[in-house]
Every structure is written in C-alpha cells, then in structure tokens.
Amino acid sequence: MSGKADPRQPGEGTTSTTSRTRLDRGRGALGPALELVHTGRAPTRAVLTAELGVTRATAGAVAAELEALGLIQVDARPTAPSGSQGRPSHRLHLAENGPVALAAQVHADGFRAALVALGGRIVATAPGCEPVDADPAKVLGSVVDAGARLLSETGRRCVGAGLAVPSAVAEPEGLALNPLHLAWPAGSPVREIFAEQVRAAGITGPAFAANDVNLAALAEHRHGAGRGSRDLLCVATGHRGVGGALVLDGRLHSGSSGLALEVGHLTVHPEGRPCHCGGRGCLDVEADPMAFLITAGRPPGPEVSLLKQADDLIRHESADPGVRAAVELLIDRLGLGLAGLVNILNPDRIILGGLHRTLLEADPERLRAVVADRSLWGRSGSVPILACGLDHNSLVGAAELAWQPVLDDPLRALAAA
C-alpha cells in the first residue's frame, strides 16, 4: 500500500458510489416495491422501508429508481400532518402520466377496450356494441383497433395487453374451451389470435388472455372489495352465465390447467332448466340475467343488454310482485350454490359481481341467511359477503395480466416494451 494521499477531496466520488451500491442491493426489491405502491400498501417511503425489510437508504434508492422509470412519484418535500410528531416521510404516488396497459373484454353483448394505469386506474375506455361475430379474429381485431385508437389519442406508452373472455381458458395454450354465449368454436386459440392482432396493430409488449371472472377476482383482490383477504371467493354473473374464482394467499387459483372454479355448473335446482353442459338446474341457467328476466315474466329486449335490463328492474321496479318474486327466487338459488362452495372451500370472504351484486344489495339479509342455513359456518361463525367494489373489474384484471411482468421485473419489462 503506497503512502500517497488519495488525490480526491474528502467525499468526492463516494456519494455516487454509495448510491449505486444501495441501488444494486435493492434491484431485487424494485418489483416488490412497485407492487406495494400499486396495491396501495405502501403510501409512504417509511412504510415501504418496513414492508421490504431494508434500510431507509436502500428504500430511498429503490423509490428513486422507480421514479426515474416513470412509474411512481416521490414527494420532494414531505410535510407532517398537523399535531404529529417525528420526521415526516416522503409520500409515494403512482405516476399520473405513466405507462398504461391495454385491457380488452368481450362478452355476449359486445366488447370494451380500455387503457389502465398502475393502481387499477382506468384512463380511457372505448365501448363497442356491435354484434359479436362467430369468428373470434374479427371480434378481437375490432377491440384491438379500438384500443390502438385510445393509445394514439392519449399518446401513452403501452406495457402490454390483456384480454378477458366469458369462457374457461385452458393453459398453457390459451384456448377458450366453452365460449357458449359467443358462438365461437370450442377450443378457439384466443390468446394466440389476440396476440397476433396486438402485433398487427403495432402495440408493444406481451399479450395475455384469461377468464373474465378470474380476472375480476384478481382485480378486486388487489384494488377492490377483496383487498386484505387471504382466501377470497368471487362469484359473478355478467351478461350471460355464472362464473367463479378463488384467490388463495394472494394468488389466483386456476387449477392444473386453468379450469378451476367452473361454478356455473353447480346444480341448484335438479328439476330446473336444461343447461348447456347437459345437466339441469345449474347456476349458469338459474341465476343469470336471462333467468331473472324469464322468472320475472319480462321478455328480453334487443336494444339493451340483458344485464342492464335485469339491473334496472331490480333497482327501479322492486315493488312489482313479479320482480320481487324473481329476486327472492334467484337469491335462494344463488345462496344454495354459495353454501356448497363455502362447505368445500372455506373462504374468509365472498364477493359478488354483476347481477349477483345487485341481488345482494336488494336483500342482503335473505342471501346471508340462506348461505348460513345451508353451510357449516352458519354454526361456527360467519364469512362476510360483500359486493364487488370496482367498476369494470374484468377489464382491470385483464390489465393486471399485462402489468404482471412489470411488477416482476420493472427494468427488464420496460426495456422490452
């Protein structure tokens, strides 16, 4: 070791070296940190530090890197609430004009495209009410074109695209196995078709596809009524049919090949209506909007979606005896199905979407009483039954598919987008 003095002045070069070292140590924490802010669990840098289990300096370097990537914003001059003690912490916000994911949803009455930012915030939407063609390529081409127009109009950077479809989607191929209400061929390769349309439109980033209720559950668990639940059961009916999903320990449970929780084919009325699956009296045909309209004696009209017609009847004509009787019957059918699921799955929370949310709001005590009477937890406690909290939660969930690579590795995903 020479006796020569270091020609640098005291501290010169050491600050930048230390910052790089802290960031290098924290690179593995970028994804977890972003997910904490994305799901609202780290509103300040102090909370982020505690949740990550790192030093304040490392948390600061991680937050600064996420800010440099255009994903979050850090308050430059934190202020403490009036009357509070101690050093105020920097607040963390999601970037107002940051990147977005293209989300698409196809249902029996049309489609919708949206741009969704981090935090599940919908930036722009483009509904499409054209008839759903029997050729999935035509429909997906239309919805991707609508999304491409939104991207052009807003000038936002896109990280990828996600698609929600009313069908079980088999993994790993991404095949829509039973798109009955869309008249698409069984086994349509929707993920491949969607990805081709996304590439053809010049949209960057990977493309994904999954079942709409699975995606609704994922969105609600991260941003809505399911936040904080460990074992979350979601049951919903949209425009046609009934679907279910389960989130276990924060992860969507899709089974060995993506086909778990096909709850629409639980029998709740053995002498009931014929079902597409070959059975009778399944939830799919006993507790969806079409079933409600038929039970209420109201013919479905072509000018308005089935879901809207059923919702409007419950909300605005509840005094009508036929409507009231239909509400009670569908609540009883739904409650019977939920009780069976509770006995099997033992969730700590149930959330209901679509028409089921409206039925819950119409008579919450009746539904809870039916489930309690027909399930084991009626004698051992109770599980909360709540309404889904997000509008367009399947769209938000579709965006979550596209955001996941960014949450896993922000640096790699944004470099590729």
Side-chain angles (χ1 to χ4, degrees), residues 44-323:
T44 67
R45 205 168 73 183
V47 175
L48 184 68
T49 301
E51 289 289 333
L52 293 177
V54 298
T55 66
R56 286 171 50 189
T58 297
V62 168
E65 178 70 1
L66 292 175
E67 185 172 37
L69 291 170
L71 298 172
I72 72 169
Q73 294 174 323
V74 182
D75 278 352
R77 297 179 179 177
T79 57
S82 177
S84 64
Q85 297 180 349
R87 182 179 179 180
S89 180
H90 295 268
R91 296 199 65 81
L92 307 178
H93 308 277
L94 295 168
E96 184 69 24
N97 296 308
V100 294
L102 169 60
Q105 181 180 13
V106 178
H107 52 75
D109 293 323
F111 64 78
R112 185 179 294 272
L115 305 183
V116 184
L118 282 167
R121 181 171 60 92
I122 296 178
V123 173
T125 61
C129 297
E130 63 185 55
V132 177
D133 196 275
D135 180 359
K138 291 184 179 179
V139 182
L140 298 181
S142 294
V143 72
V144 169
D145 285 346
R149 287 193 294 273
L150 291 177
L151 287 169
S152 177
E153 291 166 3
T154 61
R156 302 291 280 260
R157 180 183 182 183
C158 184
V159 299
L163 169 68
V165 292
S167 168
V169 178
E171 299 293 347
E173 299 89 352
L175 308 180
L177 292 189
N178 59 341
L180 298 168
H181 304 300
L182 299 180
W184 288 356
S188 295
V190 290
R191 183 180 301 152
E192 180 182 338
I193 296 171
F194 183 60
E196 289 174 352
Q197 297 291 348
V198 167
R199 286 192 297 268
I203 298 172
T204 58
F208 306 88
N211 170 262
D212 52 2
V213 180
N214 279 354
L215 296 180
L218 181 62
E220 292 287 344
H221 186 267
R222 290 183 175 180
H223 308 294
R227 184 181 291 175
S229 171
R230 190 188 70 177
D231 300 324
L232 175 69
L233 172 64
C234 174
V235 177
T237 176
H239 299 266
R240 292 293 302 274
V242 175
L246 185 66
V247 179
L248 298 176
D249 290 325
R251 297 183 65 85
L252 188 65
H253 175 68
S254 55
S256 61
S257 56
L259 307 180
L261 271 290
E262 280 292 302
V263 305
H265 300 294
L266 285 174
T267 300
V268 293
H269 182 38
E271 293 79 35
R273 300 179 179 90
C275 183
H276 321 284
C277 70
R280 276 188 174 274
C282 298
L283 268 179
D284 218 44
V285 292
E286 297 288 341
D288 78 338
M290 179 65 83
F292 179 82
L293 293 172
I294 293 172
T295 305
R298 301 298 182 94
E303 70 284 353
V304 181
S305 79
L306 297 175
L307 178 59
K308 187 175 190 311
Q309 290 177 69
D311 272 346
D312 286 347
L313 279 177
I314 297 172
R315 296 182 191 282
H316 305 304
E317 298 187 41
S318 59
D320 182 279
V323 172

Side-chain angles (χ1 to χ4, degrees), residues 324 327-328 331-332 335 352 357-373 377 382-386:
R324 186 66 225 169
V327 168
E328 292 176 354
I331 284 178
D332 291 347
L352 302 178
R357 175 172 64 177
T358 310
L359 291 170
L360 172 66
E361 293 167 348
D363 197 341
E365 294 310 313
R366 184 184 186 98
L367 179 60
R368 291 178 179 127
V370 173
V371 179
D373 184 58
W377 67 258
S382 63
V383 58
I385 303 176
L386 307 175

Side-chain angles (χ1 to χ4, degrees), residues 30-41:
L30 284 176
L34 181 60
E35 183 168 346
L36 287 166
V37 183
H38 172 59
T39 55
R41 291 177 290 157

